[in-house]
Amino acid sequence: MKHLARILKELEECNTEQDSSGITLSLKPDNLTRLIGSIAGPLGTPYEGGSFQIHIALPGAYPYEPPRMTFITKIWHPNISSQSGAMCLDILKDQWSPAVRLKTALLSVQALLSAPELRDPQDALVARQYICEYQTFIDTARSWTENFARVPSLGVEEKTGTDETVSPMIW
């Protein structure tokens, strides 16, 4: 692949800053044009506490063409297909630029979880629910996060700052 050095540099940059962003990136072992991205669900959203895996396919002309990204983890969101994981995001289409890094694209996906773009939904049923039955949307999105994206607890209880012990919060 012509742009292998850039891809390797992007992998390194993304993974050295993962603690602050909640984003990781890894190569699939058998193919340098296939990666797996992981984003943390944003705080204050029904996706909070979830870890979402995203399949990333780099075209031969990357970085001059945008990567193709689809959710592996099932998610209930107006701009992401609840069936296929396909997403609708301008930075992955007509707003792409070779200056955009994979981490920036993943940060944009993470931001989309906080602020759906209802003028361009990928899943009409979810968008309609978001508009007409917002609380049902929140409950469904939380349920899907719990069932499909929740990072398993290791049975470790969290300490408060006192002597009392509190179990990790679950919605």
Side-chain angles (χ1 to χ4, degrees), residues 62-100:
Y62 179 81
Y64 302 103
E65 290 179 14
R68 289 180 303 282
M69 295 187 178
T70 55
F71 272 75
I72 298 167
T73 308
K74 290 181 67 86
I75 185 168
W76 191 254
H77 189 280
N79 301 107
I80 303 160
S81 170
S82 58
Q83 300 299 310
S84 69
M87 71 180 89
C88 209
L89 185 61
D90 60 357
I91 197 169
L92 297 176
K93 295 190 276 182
D94 59 335
Q95 296 300 309
W96 179 258
S97 158
V100 175

PDB file of all heavy atoms in Angstrom, residues 62-100:
ATOM      1  N   TYR A  62      -6.637   6.139  -0.356  1.00  0.00           N
ATOM      2  CA  TYR A  62      -6.548   6.817   0.942  1.00  0.00           C
ATOM      3  C   TYR A  62      -5.176   7.468   1.054  1.00  0.00           C
ATOM      4  O   TYR A  62      -4.193   6.870   0.670  1.00  0.00           O
ATOM      5  CB  TYR A  62      -6.739   5.809   2.089  1.00  0.00           C
ATOM      6  CG  TYR A  62      -6.621   6.451   3.459  1.00  0.00           C
ATOM      7  CD1 TYR A  62      -7.692   7.127   4.002  1.00  0.00           C
ATOM      8  CD2 TYR A  62      -5.424   6.419   4.169  1.00  0.00           C
ATOM      9  CE1 TYR A  62      -7.589   7.746   5.235  1.00  0.00           C
ATOM     10  CE2 TYR A  62      -5.314   7.035   5.399  1.00  0.00           C
ATOM     11  CZ  TYR A  62      -6.395   7.697   5.924  1.00  0.00           C
ATOM     12  OH  TYR A  62      -6.288   8.318   7.138  1.00  0.00           O
ATOM     13  N   PRO A  63      -5.050   8.679   1.493  1.00  0.00           N
ATOM     14  CA  PRO A  63      -5.996   9.544   2.176  1.00  0.00           C
ATOM     15  C   PRO A  63      -6.772  10.506   1.261  1.00  0.00           C
ATOM     16  O   PRO A  63      -7.452  11.397   1.755  1.00  0.00           O
ATOM     17  CB  PRO A  63      -5.088  10.331   3.108  1.00  0.00           C
ATOM     18  CG  PRO A  63      -3.832  10.512   2.327  1.00  0.00           C
ATOM     19  CD  PRO A  63      -3.684   9.228   1.555  1.00  0.00           C
ATOM     20  N   TYR A  64      -6.678  10.304  -0.038  1.00  0.00           N
ATOM     21  CA  TYR A  64      -7.370  11.208  -0.958  1.00  0.00           C
ATOM     22  C   TYR A  64      -8.851  10.869  -1.089  1.00  0.00           C
ATOM     23  O   TYR A  64      -9.635  11.684  -1.565  1.00  0.00           O
ATOM     24  CB  TYR A  64      -6.677  11.214  -2.318  1.00  0.00           C
ATOM     25  CG  TYR A  64      -5.235  11.633  -2.158  1.00  0.00           C
ATOM     26  CD1 TYR A  64      -4.202  10.699  -2.205  1.00  0.00           C
ATOM     27  CD2 TYR A  64      -4.912  12.958  -1.897  1.00  0.00           C
ATOM     28  CE1 TYR A  64      -2.892  11.081  -2.004  1.00  0.00           C
ATOM     29  CE2 TYR A  64      -3.593  13.345  -1.703  1.00  0.00           C
ATOM     30  CZ  TYR A  64      -2.592  12.403  -1.752  1.00  0.00           C
ATOM     31  OH  TYR A  64      -1.294  12.783  -1.544  1.00  0.00           O
ATOM     32  N   GLU A  65      -9.224   9.678  -0.679  1.00  0.00           N
ATOM     33  CA  GLU A  65     -10.621   9.267  -0.593  1.00  0.00           C
ATOM     34  C   GLU A  65     -10.907   8.906   0.855  1.00  0.00           C
ATOM     35  O   GLU A  65     -10.025   8.394   1.553  1.00  0.00           O
ATOM     36  CB  GLU A  65     -10.885   8.042  -1.474  1.00  0.00           C
ATOM     37  CG  GLU A  65     -10.835   8.317  -2.950  1.00  0.00           C
ATOM     38  CD  GLU A  65     -11.084   7.048  -3.771  1.00  0.00           C
ATOM     39  OE1 GLU A  65     -11.556   6.031  -3.206  1.00  0.00           O
ATOM     40  OE2 GLU A  65     -10.795   7.079  -4.964  1.00  0.00           O
ATOM     41  N   PRO A  66     -12.132   9.130   1.322  1.00  0.00           N
ATOM     42  CA  PRO A  66     -12.440   8.845   2.727  1.00  0.00           C
ATOM     43  C   PRO A  66     -12.491   7.346   3.011  1.00  0.00           C
ATOM     44  O   PRO A  66     -12.791   6.546   2.122  1.00  0.00           O
ATOM     45  CB  PRO A  66     -13.829   9.471   2.913  1.00  0.00           C
ATOM     46  CG  PRO A  66     -14.434   9.471   1.559  1.00  0.00           C
ATOM     47  CD  PRO A  66     -13.292   9.677   0.606  1.00  0.00           C
ATOM     48  N   PRO A  67     -12.213   6.975   4.254  1.00  0.00           N
ATOM     49  CA  PRO A  67     -12.390   5.576   4.635  1.00  0.00           C
ATOM     50  C   PRO A  67     -13.883   5.252   4.686  1.00  0.00           C
ATOM     51  O   PRO A  67     -14.719   6.144   4.832  1.00  0.00           O
ATOM     52  CB  PRO A  67     -11.770   5.524   6.038  1.00  0.00           C
ATOM     53  CG  PRO A  67     -11.901   6.908   6.563  1.00  0.00           C
ATOM     54  CD  PRO A  67     -11.784   7.817   5.363  1.00  0.00           C
ATOM     55  N   ARG A  68     -14.195   3.985   4.544  1.00  0.00           N
ATOM     56  CA  ARG A  68     -15.581   3.539   4.726  1.00  0.00           C
ATOM     57  C   ARG A  68     -15.677   2.991   6.146  1.00  0.00           C
ATOM     58  O   ARG A  68     -14.913   2.110   6.530  1.00  0.00           O
ATOM     59  CB  ARG A  68     -15.945   2.477   3.696  1.00  0.00           C
ATOM     60  CG  ARG A  68     -16.066   3.063   2.287  1.00  0.00           C
ATOM     61  CD  ARG A  68     -16.422   2.027   1.243  1.00  0.00           C
ATOM     62  NE  ARG A  68     -15.505   0.901   1.147  1.00  0.00           N
ATOM     63  CZ  ARG A  68     -14.319   0.928   0.549  1.00  0.00           C
ATOM     64  NH1 ARG A  68     -13.898   2.048  -0.007  1.00  0.00           N
ATOM     65  NH2 ARG A  68     -13.563  -0.139   0.507  1.00  0.00           N
ATOM     66  N   MET A  69     -16.603   3.532   6.919  1.00  0.00           N
ATOM     67  CA  MET A  69     -16.760   3.119   8.312  1.00  0.00           C
ATOM     68  C   MET A  69     -18.168   2.591   8.536  1.00  0.00           C
ATOM     69  O   MET A  69     -19.140   3.206   8.087  1.00  0.00           O
ATOM     70  CB  MET A  69     -16.507   4.285   9.265  1.00  0.00           C
ATOM     71  CG  MET A  69     -15.093   4.803   9.252  1.00  0.00           C
ATOM     72  SD  MET A  69     -14.872   6.043  10.564  1.00  0.00           S
ATOM     73  CE  MET A  69     -13.139   6.422  10.358  1.00  0.00           C
ATOM     74  N   THR A  70     -18.255   1.464   9.226  1.00  0.00           N
ATOM     75  CA  THR A  70     -19.541   0.905   9.632  1.00  0.00           C
ATOM     76  C   THR A  70     -19.410   0.395  11.060  1.00  0.00           C
ATOM     77  O   THR A  70     -18.362  -0.122  11.448  1.00  0.00           O
ATOM     78  CB  THR A  70     -19.996  -0.254   8.726  1.00  0.00           C
ATOM     79  OG1 THR A  70     -18.976  -1.247   8.685  1.00  0.00           O
ATOM     80  CG2 THR A  70     -20.312   0.201   7.328  1.00  0.00           C
ATOM     81  N   PHE A  71     -20.475   0.566  11.819  1.00  0.00           N
ATOM     82  CA  PHE A  71     -20.496   0.078  13.186  1.00  0.00           C
ATOM     83  C   PHE A  71     -20.566  -1.434  13.193  1.00  0.00           C
ATOM     84  O   PHE A  71     -21.396  -2.026  12.492  1.00  0.00           O
ATOM     85  CB  PHE A  71     -21.693   0.653  13.948  1.00  0.00           C
ATOM     86  CG  PHE A  71     -21.410   1.966  14.607  1.00  0.00           C
ATOM     87  CD1 PHE A  71     -21.324   3.128  13.858  1.00  0.00           C
ATOM     88  CD2 PHE A  71     -21.225   2.047  15.974  1.00  0.00           C
ATOM     89  CE1 PHE A  71     -21.067   4.345  14.460  1.00  0.00           C
ATOM     90  CE2 PHE A  71     -20.951   3.253  16.591  1.00  0.00           C
ATOM     91  CZ  PHE A  71     -20.866   4.412  15.835  1.00  0.00           C
ATOM     92  N   ILE A  72     -19.701  -2.053  13.966  1.00  0.00           N
ATOM     93  CA  ILE A  72     -19.778  -3.490  14.227  1.00  0.00           C
ATOM     94  C   ILE A  72     -20.744  -3.700  15.394  1.00  0.00           C
ATOM     95  O   ILE A  72     -21.576  -4.594  15.374  1.00  0.00           O
ATOM     96  CB  ILE A  72     -18.386  -4.056  14.573  1.00  0.00           C
ATOM     97  CG1 ILE A  72     -17.428  -3.885  13.398  1.00  0.00           C
ATOM     98  CG2 ILE A  72     -18.483  -5.516  14.999  1.00  0.00           C
ATOM     99  CD1 ILE A  72     -15.968  -4.131  13.744  1.00  0.00           C
ATOM    100  N   THR A  73     -20.613  -2.849  16.407  1.00  0.00           N
ATOM    101  CA  THR A  73     -21.475  -2.902  17.579  1.00  0.00           C
ATOM    102  C   THR A  73     -22.847  -2.357  17.210  1.00  0.00           C
ATOM    103  O   THR A  73     -22.950  -1.281  16.620  1.00  0.00           O
ATOM    104  CB  THR A  73     -20.887  -2.038  18.721  1.00  0.00           C
ATOM    105  OG1 THR A  73     -19.529  -2.410  18.930  1.00  0.00           O
ATOM    106  CG2 THR A  73     -21.685  -2.204  20.004  1.00  0.00           C
ATOM    107  N   LYS A  74     -23.893  -3.088  17.557  1.00  0.00           N
ATOM    108  CA  LYS A  74     -25.250  -2.602  17.297  1.00  0.00           C
ATOM    109  C   LYS A  74     -25.502  -1.342  18.118  1.00  0.00           C
ATOM    110  O   LYS A  74     -25.100  -1.266  19.271  1.00  0.00           O
ATOM    111  CB  LYS A  74     -26.277  -3.674  17.653  1.00  0.00           C
ATOM    112  CG  LYS A  74     -26.252  -4.847  16.683  1.00  0.00           C
ATOM    113  CD  LYS A  74     -27.282  -5.889  17.029  1.00  0.00           C
ATOM    114  CE  LYS A  74     -28.680  -5.440  16.857  1.00  0.00           C
ATOM    115  NZ  LYS A  74     -29.284  -5.567  15.555  1.00  0.00           N
ATOM    116  N   ILE A  75     -26.163  -0.371  17.484  1.00  0.00           N
ATOM    117  CA  ILE A  75     -26.424   0.912  18.141  1.00  0.00           C
ATOM    118  C   ILE A  75     -27.752   1.464  17.638  1.00  0.00           C
ATOM    119  O   ILE A  75     -28.115   1.267  16.466  1.00  0.00           O
ATOM    120  CB  ILE A  75     -25.255   1.898  17.892  1.00  0.00           C
ATOM    121  CG1 ILE A  75     -25.454   3.202  18.679  1.00  0.00           C
ATOM    122  CG2 ILE A  75     -25.046   2.154  16.412  1.00  0.00           C
ATOM    123  CD1 ILE A  75     -24.211   4.087  18.709  1.00  0.00           C
ATOM    124  N   TRP A  76     -28.478   2.146  18.510  1.00  0.00           N
ATOM    125  CA  TRP A  76     -29.767   2.762  18.182  1.00  0.00           C
ATOM    126  C   TRP A  76     -29.532   4.257  18.051  1.00  0.00           C
ATOM    127  O   TRP A  76     -29.418   4.970  19.039  1.00  0.00           O
ATOM    128  CB  TRP A  76     -30.770   2.450  19.298  1.00  0.00           C
ATOM    129  CG  TRP A  76     -32.189   2.794  18.974  1.00  0.00           C
ATOM    130  CD1 TRP A  76     -32.900   3.855  19.467  1.00  0.00           C
ATOM    131  CD2 TRP A  76     -33.085   2.085  18.120  1.00  0.00           C
ATOM    132  NE1 TRP A  76     -34.174   3.849  18.956  1.00  0.00           N
ATOM    133  CE2 TRP A  76     -34.312   2.767  18.126  1.00  0.00           C
ATOM    134  CE3 TRP A  76     -32.951   0.949  17.323  1.00  0.00           C
ATOM    135  CZ2 TRP A  76     -35.408   2.345  17.392  1.00  0.00           C
ATOM    136  CZ3 TRP A  76     -34.042   0.525  16.585  1.00  0.00           C
ATOM    137  CH2 TRP A  76     -35.256   1.211  16.627  1.00  0.00           C
ATOM    138  N   HIS A  77     -29.418   4.740  16.819  1.00  0.00           N
ATOM    139  CA  HIS A  77     -29.087   6.147  16.555  1.00  0.00           C
ATOM    140  C   HIS A  77     -29.655   6.547  15.197  1.00  0.00           C
ATOM    141  O   HIS A  77     -29.594   5.756  14.242  1.00  0.00           O
ATOM    142  CB  HIS A  77     -27.560   6.318  16.555  1.00  0.00           C
ATOM    143  CG  HIS A  77     -27.114   7.738  16.520  1.00  0.00           C
ATOM    144  ND1 HIS A  77     -27.085   8.473  15.352  1.00  0.00           N
ATOM    145  CD2 HIS A  77     -26.690   8.566  17.502  1.00  0.00           C
ATOM    146  CE1 HIS A  77     -26.651   9.695  15.620  1.00  0.00           C
ATOM    147  NE2 HIS A  77     -26.408   9.771  16.926  1.00  0.00           N
ATOM    148  N   PRO A  78     -30.202   7.758  15.065  1.00  0.00           N
ATOM    149  CA  PRO A  78     -30.813   8.181  13.798  1.00  0.00           C
ATOM    150  C   PRO A  78     -29.870   8.174  12.590  1.00  0.00           C
ATOM    151  O   PRO A  78     -30.312   7.963  11.466  1.00  0.00           O
ATOM    152  CB  PRO A  78     -31.290   9.616  14.078  1.00  0.00           C
ATOM    153  CG  PRO A  78     -31.402   9.708  15.556  1.00  0.00           C
ATOM    154  CD  PRO A  78     -30.371   8.777  16.112  1.00  0.00           C
ATOM    155  N   ASN A  79     -28.576   8.391  12.807  1.00  0.00           N
ATOM    156  CA  ASN A  79     -27.646   8.489  11.685  1.00  0.00           C
ATOM    157  C   ASN A  79     -26.849   7.211  11.438  1.00  0.00           C
ATOM    158  O   ASN A  79     -25.919   7.202  10.633  1.00  0.00           O
ATOM    159  CB  ASN A  79     -26.675   9.651  11.902  1.00  0.00           C
ATOM    160  CG  ASN A  79     -27.407  10.963  12.032  1.00  0.00           C
ATOM    161  OD1 ASN A  79     -27.500  11.510  13.111  1.00  0.00           O
ATOM    162  ND2 ASN A  79     -27.975  11.447  10.938  1.00  0.00           N
ATOM    163  N   ILE A  80     -27.248   6.132  12.132  1.00  0.00           N
ATOM    164  CA  ILE A  80     -26.560   4.849  11.988  1.00  0.00           C
ATOM    165  C   ILE A  80     -27.613   3.766  11.789  1.00  0.00           C
ATOM    166  O   ILE A  80     -28.561   3.676  12.571  1.00  0.00           O
ATOM    167  CB  ILE A  80     -25.688   4.548  13.232  1.00  0.00           C
ATOM    168  CG1 ILE A  80     -24.686   5.683  13.443  1.00  0.00           C
ATOM    169  CG2 ILE A  80     -24.975   3.211  13.078  1.00  0.00           C
ATOM    170  CD1 ILE A  80     -24.112   5.773  14.827  1.00  0.00           C
ATOM    171  N   SER A  81     -27.455   2.959  10.760  1.00  0.00           N
ATOM    172  CA  SER A  81     -28.427   1.905  10.486  1.00  0.00           C
ATOM    173  C   SER A  81     -28.428   0.881  11.615  1.00  0.00           C
ATOM    174  O   SER A  81     -27.383   0.325  11.959  1.00  0.00           O
ATOM    175  CB  SER A  81     -28.103   1.203   9.161  1.00  0.00           C
ATOM    176  OG  SER A  81     -28.902   0.045   9.019  1.00  0.00           O
ATOM    177  N   SER A  82     -29.623   0.632  12.162  1.00  0.00           N
ATOM    178  CA  SER A  82     -29.739  -0.365  13.220  1.00  0.00           C
ATOM    179  C   SER A  82     -29.590  -1.780  12.651  1.00  0.00           C
ATOM    180  O   SER A  82     -29.375  -2.728  13.394  1.00  0.00           O
ATOM    181  CB  SER A  82     -31.079  -0.227  13.946  1.00  0.00           C
ATOM    182  OG  SER A  82     -32.154  -0.354  13.033  1.00  0.00           O
ATOM    183  N   GLN A  83     -29.659  -1.909  11.330  1.00  0.00           N
ATOM    184  CA  GLN A  83     -29.528  -3.216  10.683  1.00  0.00           C
ATOM    185  C   GLN A  83     -28.100  -3.506  10.213  1.00  0.00           C
ATOM    186  O   GLN A  83     -27.548  -4.555  10.496  1.00  0.00           O
ATOM    187  CB  GLN A  83     -30.474  -3.296   9.472  1.00  0.00           C
ATOM    188  CG  GLN A  83     -31.925  -3.115   9.831  1.00  0.00           C
ATOM    189  CD  GLN A  83     -32.415  -4.184  10.783  1.00  0.00           C
ATOM    190  OE1 GLN A  83     -32.213  -5.367  10.533  1.00  0.00           O
ATOM    191  NE2 GLN A  83     -33.029  -3.781  11.874  1.00  0.00           N
ATOM    192  N   SER A  84     -27.504  -2.541   9.498  1.00  0.00           N
ATOM    193  CA  SER A  84     -26.206  -2.803   8.855  1.00  0.00           C
ATOM    194  C   SER A  84     -25.022  -2.101   9.515  1.00  0.00           C
ATOM    195  O   SER A  84     -23.879  -2.422   9.239  1.00  0.00           O
ATOM    196  CB  SER A  84     -26.259  -2.369   7.393  1.00  0.00           C
ATOM    197  OG  SER A  84     -26.351  -0.949   7.305  1.00  0.00           O
ATOM    198  N   GLY A  85     -25.283  -1.092  10.355  1.00  0.00           N
ATOM    199  CA  GLY A  85     -24.196  -0.317  10.958  1.00  0.00           C
ATOM    200  C   GLY A  85     -23.677   0.793  10.063  1.00  0.00           C
ATOM    201  O   GLY A  85     -22.772   1.534  10.452  1.00  0.00           O
ATOM    202  N   ALA A  86     -24.243   0.926   8.860  1.00  0.00           N
ATOM    203  CA  ALA A  86     -23.828   2.011   7.964  1.00  0.00           C
ATOM    204  C   ALA A  86     -24.169   3.342   8.610  1.00  0.00           C
ATOM    205  O   ALA A  86     -25.153   3.460   9.337  1.00  0.00           O
ATOM    206  CB  ALA A  86     -24.537   1.882   6.617  1.00  0.00           C
ATOM    207  N   MET A  87     -23.326   4.342   8.374  1.00  0.00           N
ATOM    208  CA  MET A  87     -23.593   5.641   8.989  1.00  0.00           C
ATOM    209  C   MET A  87     -23.597   6.759   7.967  1.00  0.00           C
ATOM    210  O   MET A  87     -22.995   6.652   6.898  1.00  0.00           O
ATOM    211  CB  MET A  87     -22.595   5.930  10.109  1.00  0.00           C
ATOM    212  CG  MET A  87     -21.190   6.215   9.662  1.00  0.00           C
ATOM    213  SD  MET A  87     -20.101   6.525  11.046  1.00  0.00           S
ATOM    214  CE  MET A  87     -19.562   4.874  11.406  1.00  0.00           C
ATOM    215  N   CYS A  88     -24.293   7.802   8.323  1.00  0.00           N
ATOM    216  CA  CYS A  88     -24.415   8.986   7.499  1.00  0.00           C
ATOM    217  C   CYS A  88     -23.660  10.110   8.206  1.00  0.00           C
ATOM    218  O   CYS A  88     -24.102  10.598   9.243  1.00  0.00           O
ATOM    219  CB  CYS A  88     -25.898   9.319   7.363  1.00  0.00           C
ATOM    220  SG  CYS A  88     -26.283  10.136   5.848  1.00  0.00           S
ATOM    221  N   LEU A  89     -22.505  10.486   7.663  1.00  0.00           N
ATOM    222  CA  LEU A  89     -21.678  11.527   8.277  1.00  0.00           C
ATOM    223  C   LEU A  89     -20.927  12.253   7.170  1.00  0.00           C
ATOM    224  O   LEU A  89     -20.192  11.627   6.399  1.00  0.00           O
ATOM    225  CB  LEU A  89     -20.704  10.888   9.277  1.00  0.00           C
ATOM    226  CG  LEU A  89     -19.835  11.819  10.105  1.00  0.00           C
ATOM    227  CD1 LEU A  89     -20.674  12.744  10.972  1.00  0.00           C
ATOM    228  CD2 LEU A  89     -18.877  11.016  10.982  1.00  0.00           C
ATOM    229  N   ASP A  90     -21.102  13.578   7.111  1.00  0.00           N
ATOM    230  CA  ASP A  90     -20.534  14.367   6.012  1.00  0.00           C
ATOM    231  C   ASP A  90     -19.023  14.255   5.878  1.00  0.00           C
ATOM    232  O   ASP A  90     -18.493  14.251   4.771  1.00  0.00           O
ATOM    233  CB  ASP A  90     -20.961  15.829   6.121  1.00  0.00           C
ATOM    234  CG  ASP A  90     -20.527  16.492   7.417  1.00  0.00           C
ATOM    235  OD1 ASP A  90     -19.931  15.830   8.283  1.00  0.00           O
ATOM    236  OD2 ASP A  90     -20.800  17.701   7.574  1.00  0.00           O
ATOM    237  N   ILE A  91     -18.310  14.122   6.991  1.00  0.00           N
ATOM    238  CA  ILE A  91     -16.845  14.049   6.918  1.00  0.00           C
ATOM    239  C   ILE A  91     -16.378  12.760   6.224  1.00  0.00           C
ATOM    240  O   ILE A  91     -15.266  12.685   5.721  1.00  0.00           O
ATOM    241  CB  ILE A  91     -16.204  14.197   8.317  1.00  0.00           C
ATOM    242  CG1 ILE A  91     -14.722  14.545   8.183  1.00  0.00           C
ATOM    243  CG2 ILE A  91     -16.377  12.938   9.141  1.00  0.00           C
ATOM    244  CD1 ILE A  91     -14.076  14.974   9.480  1.00  0.00           C
ATOM    245  N   LEU A  92     -17.260  11.766   6.155  1.00  0.00           N
ATOM    246  CA  LEU A  92     -16.932  10.518   5.470  1.00  0.00           C
ATOM    247  C   LEU A  92     -17.458  10.510   4.038  1.00  0.00           C
ATOM    248  O   LEU A  92     -17.374   9.497   3.350  1.00  0.00           O
ATOM    249  CB  LEU A  92     -17.504   9.324   6.240  1.00  0.00           C
ATOM    250  CG  LEU A  92     -16.943   9.134   7.638  1.00  0.00           C
ATOM    251  CD1 LEU A  92     -17.646   7.986   8.346  1.00  0.00           C
ATOM    252  CD2 LEU A  92     -15.440   8.913   7.606  1.00  0.00           C
ATOM    253  N   LYS A  93     -17.966  11.653   3.611  1.00  0.00           N
ATOM    254  CA  LYS A  93     -18.464  11.772   2.238  1.00  0.00           C
ATOM    255  C   LYS A  93     -17.880  13.030   1.611  1.00  0.00           C
ATOM    256  O   LYS A  93     -16.673  13.140   1.437  1.00  0.00           O
ATOM    257  CB  LYS A  93     -19.993  11.795   2.231  1.00  0.00           C
ATOM    258  CG  LYS A  93     -20.620  10.500   2.720  1.00  0.00           C
ATOM    259  CD  LYS A  93     -22.103  10.447   2.491  1.00  0.00           C
ATOM    260  CE  LYS A  93     -22.843  11.144   3.597  1.00  0.00           C
ATOM    261  NZ  LYS A  93     -24.279  11.099   3.480  1.00  0.00           N
ATOM    262  N   ASP A  94     -18.726  14.006   1.364  1.00  0.00           N
ATOM    263  CA  ASP A  94     -18.326  15.196   0.616  1.00  0.00           C
ATOM    264  C   ASP A  94     -17.458  16.182   1.394  1.00  0.00           C
ATOM    265  O   ASP A  94     -16.833  17.049   0.800  1.00  0.00           O
ATOM    266  CB  ASP A  94     -19.553  15.906   0.042  1.00  0.00           C
ATOM    267  CG  ASP A  94     -20.542  16.331   1.118  1.00  0.00           C
ATOM    268  OD1 ASP A  94     -20.568  15.709   2.202  1.00  0.00           O
ATOM    269  OD2 ASP A  94     -21.307  17.274   0.871  1.00  0.00           O
ATOM    270  N   GLN A  95     -17.375  16.062   2.707  1.00  0.00           N
ATOM    271  CA  GLN A  95     -16.534  16.968   3.503  1.00  0.00           C
ATOM    272  C   GLN A  95     -15.158  16.380   3.816  1.00  0.00           C
ATOM    273  O   GLN A  95     -14.404  16.942   4.599  1.00  0.00           O
ATOM    274  CB  GLN A  95     -17.256  17.323   4.815  1.00  0.00           C
ATOM    275  CG  GLN A  95     -18.537  18.097   4.606  1.00  0.00           C
ATOM    276  CD  GLN A  95     -18.300  19.415   3.890  1.00  0.00           C
ATOM    277  OE1 GLN A  95     -17.454  20.210   4.282  1.00  0.00           O
ATOM    278  NE2 GLN A  95     -19.035  19.647   2.808  1.00  0.00           N
ATOM    279  N   TRP A  96     -14.828  15.248   3.205  1.00  0.00           N
ATOM    280  CA  TRP A  96     -13.537  14.609   3.435  1.00  0.00           C
ATOM    281  C   TRP A  96     -12.413  15.442   2.829  1.00  0.00           C
ATOM    282  O   TRP A  96     -12.559  16.067   1.787  1.00  0.00           O
ATOM    283  CB  TRP A  96     -13.502  13.209   2.830  1.00  0.00           C
ATOM    284  CG  TRP A  96     -12.170  12.548   3.036  1.00  0.00           C
ATOM    285  CD1 TRP A  96     -11.172  12.405   2.111  1.00  0.00           C
ATOM    286  CD2 TRP A  96     -11.677  11.986   4.250  1.00  0.00           C
ATOM    287  NE1 TRP A  96     -10.094  11.769   2.679  1.00  0.00           N
ATOM    288  CE2 TRP A  96     -10.371  11.498   3.993  1.00  0.00           C
ATOM    289  CE3 TRP A  96     -12.196  11.828   5.528  1.00  0.00           C
ATOM    290  CZ2 TRP A  96      -9.596  10.878   4.965  1.00  0.00           C
ATOM    291  CZ3 TRP A  96     -11.420  11.212   6.495  1.00  0.00           C
ATOM    292  CH2 TRP A  96     -10.134  10.747   6.204  1.00  0.00           C
ATOM    293  N   SER A  97     -11.281  15.428   3.491  1.00  0.00           N
ATOM    294  CA  SER A  97     -10.072  16.079   3.002  1.00  0.00           C
ATOM    295  C   SER A  97      -8.890  15.177   3.369  1.00  0.00           C
ATOM    296  O   SER A  97      -8.913  14.538   4.422  1.00  0.00           O
ATOM    297  CB  SER A  97      -9.913  17.440   3.696  1.00  0.00           C
ATOM    298  OG  SER A  97      -8.572  17.865   3.644  1.00  0.00           O
ATOM    299  N   PRO A  98      -7.849  15.132   2.545  1.00  0.00           N
ATOM    300  CA  PRO A  98      -6.677  14.328   2.892  1.00  0.00           C
ATOM    301  C   PRO A  98      -6.022  14.760   4.207  1.00  0.00           C
ATOM    302  O   PRO A  98      -5.271  13.989   4.809  1.00  0.00           O
ATOM    303  CB  PRO A  98      -5.726  14.540   1.715  1.00  0.00           C
ATOM    304  CG  PRO A  98      -6.603  14.938   0.587  1.00  0.00           C
ATOM    305  CD  PRO A  98      -7.737  15.698   1.202  1.00  0.00           C
ATOM    306  N   ALA A  99      -6.313  15.966   4.661  1.00  0.00           N
ATOM    307  CA  ALA A  99      -5.745  16.432   5.929  1.00  0.00           C
ATOM    308  C   ALA A  99      -6.439  15.788   7.138  1.00  0.00           C
ATOM    309  O   ALA A  99      -5.907  15.810   8.246  1.00  0.00           O
ATOM    310  CB  ALA A  99      -5.868  17.951   6.027  1.00  0.00           C
ATOM    311  N   VAL A 100      -7.611  15.219   6.928  1.00  0.00           N
ATOM    312  CA  VAL A 100      -8.352  14.577   8.016  1.00  0.00           C
ATOM    313  C   VAL A 100      -7.664  13.255   8.365  1.00  0.00           C
ATOM    314  O   VAL A 100      -7.336  12.468   7.490  1.00  0.00           O
ATOM    315  CB  VAL A 100      -9.831  14.343   7.618  1.00  0.00           C
ATOM    316  CG1 VAL A 100     -10.566  13.559   8.700  1.00  0.00           C
ATOM    317  CG2 VAL A 100     -10.515  15.661   7.334  1.00  0.00           C
TER     318      VAL A 100
END
